[in-house]
Amino acid sequence: MDKFVIQGGKKLSGKVKVSGAKNSVLALLPATLLNSGTNVITNTPQVNDVYTMIKLLQQLGVTAEFEDHVVKLNTTGINSQFAPYEHVKKMRASVYVLGPLLSRYGYAKVSMPGGCAWGPRPINLHLEAMKKLGGEIELEEGYIIAKANKLHGAKIHFDVSSVGATGNAMMAAVLAKGTTHISNAAMEPEITQLADYLNMMGARISGIGSTVLEIEGVDELKAASIENISDRIETGTLLCAAAITKSNIELEYSSPEHIDSVVAKLSDSGIEVWESNGAIRINAANSNPQSVDVTTAVYPGFPTDMQAQWISFMSLANGTSTVTDTIYHDRFNHVPELVRLGAKIEVNNNSSIVKGVNSLRGAKVMSTDLRASACLVLAGLAAEGTTEVLRIYHLDRGYQKIEEKLRALGADIQRETTTEF
Ligand code: EPU
């Protein structure tokens, strides 16, 4: 098992390239199940969740090669519609195979994802959407058994905006007979890109980028190639790394508008962030960051996936801030770990009240999930002395070698093998 050992207090400087978006490619990869041919996805991050999804696709009969951020998927030999527990338990996004398999083959047996590190994450909206499209759904021994002769168009309204359910419903509807309307659809850039990719395969989706999607079913889709977008959450994480260490850095990033909500909050706290020549620049040197409240919301609101990193930054800001998570009410497992580093934070229902302190002190801390790990790394970069972040396998699920990017910017962060758990 690996851990990070961080000597805090180093200023960051220079430029790094942000990797491709994990959550986006986790939707693009299963979308290839809808066609027969060779698909190429470039700018794919080398992170464990992507390897897990590729293994799952291989289990379904897809031939996959992944070299140097390029994934080639040949979908001509798909011979199974079975997603076993072994794969799904590692990653909830595995449930994305349900829509494409049901739509194309009329059958899918997909393990139910279990609980997650910060509480229940149901998939009821995915299942309801499949039923609306004509799927028969049964739950048996921990598995979803989905059957249909041919899916048909339907009106689907999501009571709660869901990235995954919108993606799954879209992937099911593209091969359904007739037209599907999805309202209160997710507008996250990962979903917009999935819709674009499906259209490149020959799907007919309109309303892309809005909360109302219209999907005219087609008989078949062809293989297609796409360049994945940059990761907005890695971008936000690195911006917060610069903010918490009072540094100036530059990030090579394809779509600055995806991170507007985070940039606006950084600017409210008194830190300058701007875009020039295809890069995002942040100037936090000599800054005196002020506390700024944040409430997470669906896109284009402040992402829940940046909540933990924002709390880290706020733990050293001037004043008291309230950080509220409206998407995942229990996503605060990082707070007790930050408190071990000297932060003053109290959790009250789905909010954290963060009283800024003058300094944090290094200690051993434990990652509990992906974004929690990132927030502990940020705190370690700013803390006095040595911070050890244990259980970074969580971080490796979604950040491609973040320690190398941070070292390139001047941080003192090492990956070491440990027997500590
Ligand atoms: N929800 C339901 N029923 C459902 C589905 C969702 O009640 O059937 C609720 C959830 O409990 C939550 C809200 O809807 O309160 C939004 O969840 P959503 O379905 O949008 O989340 P997701 O698709 O499971 C994706 C990302 C998450 C990110 C969320 C929210 C991927 C692979 N995962 O999850 O990313 O937090 O959207 O933006 O795209 C991460 O990268 O660290 C991560 C957890």
Side-chain angles (χ1 to χ4, degrees):
M1 183 154 314
D2 288 353
K3 67 176 175 183
F4 283 148
V5 180
I6 306 168
Q7 305 297 336
K10 299 275 186 301
K11 293 278 179 209
L12 309 182
S13 64
K15 182 173 179 176
V16 287
K17 184 174 185 294
V18 173
S19 293
K22 172 203 64 128
N23 285 347
S24 167
V25 90
L26 287 179
L28 299 178
L29 288 165
T32 63
L33 292 169
L34 288 160
N35 66 50
S36 181
T38 301
N39 301 268
V40 181
I41 304 173
T42 53
N43 199 28
T44 302
Q46 293 162 338
V47 296
N48 286 345
D49 275 6
V50 167
Y51 294 116
T52 302
M53 183 60 89
I54 289 175
K55 278 201 191 115
L56 174 56
L57 296 182
Q58 284 170 329
Q59 142 91 26
L60 302 174
V62 174
T63 311
E65 282 171 36
F66 185 11
E67 263 177 41
D68 196 20
H69 304 105
V70 179
V71 193
K72 282 192 191 141
L73 300 149
N74 187 312
T75 49
T76 48
I78 296 172
N79 54 12
S80 166
Q81 290 75 43
F82 175 49
Y85 178 60
E86 289 70 63
H87 291 292
V88 181
K89 75 172 180 200
K90 285 194 192 154
M91 186 183 69
R92 296 179 54 80
S94 307
V95 80
Y96 266 140
V97 301
L98 178 65
L101 289 178
L102 177 62
S103 190
R104 181 148 180 233
Y105 298 97
Y107 177 78
K109 180 173 179 181
V110 178
S111 172
M112 292 276 289
C116 101
W118 65 81
R121 286 173 73 189
I123 55 158
N124 58 312
L125 300 173
H126 298 241
L127 301 185
E128 280 163 25
M130 298 305 134
K131 284 185 196 161
K132 283 256 164 73
L133 291 164
E136 281 171 34
I137 306 285
E138 281 173 35
L139 302 180
E140 257 176 38
E141 296 172 353
Y143 280 89
I144 305 157
I145 318 274
K147 292 180 193 159
N149 284 333
K150 174 83 183 157
L151 294 182
H152 54 72
K155 276 198 188 321
I156 300 171
H157 173 80
F158 290 121
D159 286 340
V160 176
S161 174
S162 161
V163 173
T166 304
N168 235 338
M170 257 193 328
M171 289 192 276
V174 285
L175 288 181
K177 190 169 169 45
T179 304
T180 297
H181 295 266
I182 305 180
S183 53
N184 198 22
M187 298 193 290
E188 271 67 5
E190 296 76 27
I191 288 299
T192 303
Q193 178 170 252
L194 171 63
D196 286 337
Y197 188 41
L198 293 169
N199 276 355
M200 288 160 80
M201 292 181 190
R204 295 200 189 133
I205 305 175
S206 55
I208 298 176
S210 79
T211 57
V212 182
L213 298 171
E214 187 175 282
I215 303 160
E216 216 183 298
V218 296
D219 289 337
E220 59 175 15
L221 296 176
K222 59 183 189 305
S225 300
I226 188 167
E227 175 162 1
N228 183 27
I229 52 174
S230 298
D231 197 304
R232 62 195 171 104
I233 305 302
E234 182 181 292
T235 307
T237 303
L238 291 169
L239 289 175
C240 283
I244 199 169
T245 55
K246 300 193 175 177
S247 302
N248 295 348
I249 63 165
E250 266 182 73
L251 303 174
E252 211 179 299
Y253 176 53
S254 61
S255 315
E257 71 280 6
H258 292 166
I259 198 74
D260 278 352
S261 58
V262 176
V263 168
K265 291 291 174 183
L266 284 165
S267 139
D268 289 350
S269 93
I271 291 174
E272 221 186 331
V273 185
W274 72 104
E275 194 202 326
S276 92
N277 298 331
I280 299 188
R281 292 161 192 246
I282 173 165
N283 178 2
N286 308 316
S287 62
N288 182 19
Q290 302 305 305
S291 292
V292 174
D293 294 344
V294 151
T295 299
T296 67
V298 297
Y299 188 82
F302 191 95
T304 172
D305 292 342
M306 279 301 301
Q307 176 258 99
Q309 300 90 313
W310 189 258
I311 290 182
S312 263
F313 171 43
M314 285 298 101
S315 69
L316 284 170
N318 267 312
T320 300
S321 54
T322 302
V323 179
T324 303
D325 201 322
T326 66
I327 310 290
Y328 295 118
H329 294 188
D330 301 324
R331 197 180 193 177
F332 290 108
N333 288 339
H334 39 285
V335 167
E337 301 301 310
L338 288 172
V339 169
R340 285 178 53 71
L341 297 172
K344 286 211 166 124
I345 311 170
E346 273 175 28
V347 178
N348 188 358
N349 296 319
N350 65 330
S351 295
S352 277
I353 320 299
V354 192
K355 263 191 193 163
V357 293
N358 290 330
S359 59
L360 298 175
R361 288 173 310 282
K364 270 189 189 172
V365 285
M366 201 173 73
S367 311
T368 50
D369 64 71
L370 170 60
R371 307 304 171 188
S373 334
C375 100
L376 297 175
V377 170
L378 299 189
L381 294 175
E384 291 165 5
T386 309
T387 297
E388 292 191 14
V389 184
L390 303 172
R391 301 193 183 183
I392 55 168
Y393 58 86
H394 289 293
L395 194 130
D396 291 334
R397 287 185 57 179
Y399 288 94
Q400 184 185 313
K401 296 268 160 63
I402 196 147
E403 75 277 20
E404 288 180 5
K405 291 179 180 117
L406 290 169
R407 263 205 308 276
L409 293 170
D412 186 344
I413 173 168
Q414 307 299 332
R415 180 183 287 262
E416 290 182 9
T417 304
T418 176
T419 50
E420 271 178 286
F421 189 64

